Amino acid sequence: MNKKVNAKKEAWEKKQEEKGKKVVAWIFGGLIVLAIIYLIWTFSMMA
């Protein structure tokens, strides 16, 4: 039974790690998009 619990725990940890990587990727992607929008806005205000 202990092996079964360990297998479930490992599967759960793997799922959590994959979800965490997706969240981090979305956050960085969002920050990059916001930075590009800010740059465009800044240059349009200077022109």
Side-chain angles (χ1 to χ4, degrees):
M1 185 160 172
N2 195 17
K3 289 182 182 180
K4 199 175 195 181
V5 172
N6 284 341
K8 282 185 179 182
K9 186 177 179 184
E10 287 176 10
W12 183 80
E13 287 176 355
K14 187 177 179 184
K15 276 186 181 179
Q16 290 295 95
E17 184 178 352
E18 289 172 5
K19 286 182 182 179
K21 286 181 181 180
K22 278 187 179 180
V23 169
V24 170
W26 274 101
I27 290 171
F28 276 112
L31 287 173
I32 290 169
V33 169
L34 287 173
I36 291 169
I37 291 170
Y38 179 72
L39 283 172
I40 292 169
W41 179 75
T42 302
F43 285 119
S44 69
M45 295 297 273
M46 289 181 165

